[in-house]
Amino acid sequence: MRDEFLPFAPPSITRAEIDEVVDALESGWITTGPRTKAFEGELAAYLGAPAALALSSGTAALHLALVLADIGPGDEVITTTLTFTATVAVIEHVGARPVLVDVEPDTLNLDPDAVAAAVTERTRAVIAVHYGGHPCDLDRLESICREHDLLLVEDAAHALPARYRGRLVGSGDNPAAFSFYATKNLTTAEGGLLTGDPQMIERGIVASLHGMDRDAWKRHDKGGSWRYDVVMPGFKYNMTDLQAAIGLQQLRRLDGFLARRREVAAAYTAALAPLDAFDLPSEREDCASAWHLYPVRLKPGALPVTRDDFMTGMRDRNIGTSVHFIPIHTFTYYRDKYGYRPEDFPVALDAGDRAVSLPLHPDLSDDDVADVVAAIRDLAGRA
Ligand SMILES: *Cc1c(COP(=O)(O)O)cnc(C)c1O
């Protein structure tokens, strides 16, 4: 057994990130400024996004997407029950009604048939979550949205970078929200990015900083005017240059991160498939996953332990794991408010019961991967 605990998803921080943050601190400008604009611009170019706006979190990006589309009370927004709570909370924040639907059994992404069946007169938008970094069936979701005149918002928190039929997630005109939380594929400690149509992003700049028509950097820079107008009661959602400093250096390492994630995922698949004890994550023919997660689902009866005991057993063997996700409709707030029953979404419920995410991050060594596999074989009684 390994001596040191192997965390599930620690950030990968090198001297380069540290030096860039120090440079930002010493530059005299620490909040939204030149580094934020550079990070935003470089990431937009990387993604081929029509426009992009760096923000304080992925949740802020999702919330702004709904605010900018003027979604509010009386409106319905369809999304998956198998997601992080923020995806659904932002629908509540604008006063709209979240309409949860089930997922597809292979990718655990929003099921387009379930989306089509949930559309009503009041539906205004669909939030598609690219679960674990594997793109949703965007062509089918786009065609449903076109037919009913709905906005397609992508929760791309896991999907940097992910490809659907050759195009990068975040390269379209519809809003896509990325997260740079500490565990995500690229981190700024906390942070987010909204991509999409340039006109929406223009309004997003104003909405994300108090509704002021000009940001502080421009006002306080040499030649800037002190005057500003307020055109809406905006939010405080701007990214700081300290966050962007981390992001700028992470972006230079992103392709390397993805290559290593892909290698580790392939190594897990090669080692675990022969055990025939798990449903393993797969990649559809026309997709390239960002491999944010490697979630396995315990096959019923195939292991001598339950899912929860499996996770405890991994922890006892010094290996961290996690669950993605506890289905939203089983949480007290949503269950009580909307009367959901656990069995309403059987595929998601079953995934929530059987899923375990294995450690997956770019700093995993081959020895670390071997330790994870050895611990699993041990727990499976195949040591
Ligand atoms: C992390 C995450 C978010 C929220 O991102 P933050 O940057 O933490 O606000 C939203 N949706 C999903 C699916 C996530 O995993």
Side-chain angles (χ1 to χ4, degrees):
M1 190 181 94
R2 54 182 290 131
D3 301 329
E4 263 182 52
F5 185 68
L6 183 70
F8 163 70
S12 175
I13 300 295
T14 61
R15 217 356 87 188
E17 284 88 347
I18 295 167
D19 288 345
E20 187 80 35
V21 171
V22 172
D23 287 350
L25 282 166
E26 289 175 343
S27 75
W29 195 273
I30 56 176
T31 184
T32 313
R35 281 186 172 78
T36 303
K37 295 301 137 187
F39 175 58
E40 191 176 271
E42 286 186 27
L43 200 43
Y46 179 95
L47 293 170
L53 176 60
L55 295 162
S56 55
S57 72
T59 307
L62 281 171
H63 183 214
L64 270 193
L66 299 183
V67 168
L68 295 170
D70 214 14
I71 290 167
D75 297 334
E76 292 178 357
V77 178
I78 299 171
T79 194
T80 166
T81 188
L82 201 67
T83 185
F84 183 57
T85 184
T87 314
V88 188
V90 297
I91 303 170
E92 296 278 330
H93 291 163
V94 298
R97 179 189 176 106
V99 175
L100 300 175
V101 299
D102 211 349
V103 294
E104 298 192 282
D106 61 335
T107 59
L108 301 180
N109 276 330
L110 200 57
D111 179 345
D113 290 331
V115 172
V119 173
T120 72
E121 297 279 274
R122 291 167 178 263
T123 310
R124 292 281 316 283
V126 174
I127 305 181
V129 180
H130 303 300
Y131 175 93
H134 190 293
C136 291
D137 189 345
L138 287 170
D139 279 357
R140 286 206 52 211
L141 292 172
E142 276 165 10
S143 97
I144 293 163
C145 287
R146 237 188 335 268
E147 183 185 340
H148 299 280
D149 194 23
L150 311 175
L151 177 71
L152 181 62
V153 177
E154 293 175 65
D155 179 337
H158 300 179
L160 184 66
R163 276 181 197 277
Y164 175 80
R165 303 205 160 152
R167 44 189 161 111
L168 276 168
V169 166
S171 61
D173 267 335
N174 56 311
F178 293 88
S179 166
F180 311 128
Y181 177 65
T183 59
K184 298 289 158 71
N185 286 15
L186 179 156
T187 188
T188 61
E190 298 282 355
L193 186 85
L194 180 64
T195 63
D197 162 63
Q199 285 182 355
M200 171 194 67
I201 294 296
E202 273 304 310
R203 292 188 298 119
I205 294 170
V206 175
S208 67
L209 202 62
H210 306 299
M212 288 164 31
D213 66 346
R214 225 174 329 179
D215 64 44
W217 181 41
K218 287 183 193 141
R219 276 186 292 115
H220 296 300
D221 200 26
K222 205 168 112 214
S225 162
W226 57 271
R227 248 181 215 294
Y228 60 88
D229 190 16
V230 171
V231 295
M232 70 174 289
F235 303 93
K236 188 69 202 305
Y237 277 171
N238 55 305
M239 178 179 275
T240 71
D241 269 22
L242 298 186
Q243 292 165 289
I246 306 172
L248 277 168
Q249 293 302 324
Q250 290 262 299
L251 186 51
R252 305 205 185 336
R253 304 172 59 210
L254 185 58
D255 287 336
F257 287 167
L258 177 66
R260 183 56 185 161
R261 285 178 176 278
R262 187 170 276 287
E263 260 172 28
V264 172
Y268 281 149
T269 299
L272 299 180
L275 297 182
D276 199 27
F278 304 97
D279 293 317
L280 301 174
S282 56
E283 221 171 8
R284 285 189 183 177
E285 199 67 47
D286 53 0
C287 291
S289 176
W291 288 107
H292 174 57
L293 300 174
Y294 192 89
V296 303
R297 281 171 280 170
L298 278 69
K299 284 190 181 168
L303 290 175
V305 287
T306 64
R307 191 275 307 272
D308 291 11
D309 290 343
F310 178 86
M311 292 180 73
T312 310
M314 292 296 276
R315 174 163 265 281
D316 291 345
R317 287 161 181 75
N318 264 337
I319 297 189
T321 59
S322 188
V323 171
H324 298 87
F325 290 97
I326 303 169
I328 298 292
H329 73 283
T330 64
F331 286 125
T332 303
Y333 178 84
Y334 295 98
R335 185 194 61 210
D336 288 358
K337 184 165 180 182
Y338 300 109
Y340 288 120
R341 292 161 304 152
E343 63 273 22
D344 284 347
F345 309 116
V347 181
L349 187 72
D350 173 65
D353 284 343
R354 298 198 287 122
V356 181
S357 297
L358 302 183
L360 181 55
H361 54 89
D363 291 339
L364 283 177
S365 69
D366 291 349
D367 285 346
D368 294 334
V369 173
D371 287 344
V372 175
V373 170
I376 293 173
R377 293 185 62 91
D378 188 21
L379 279 164
R382 323 269 181 92

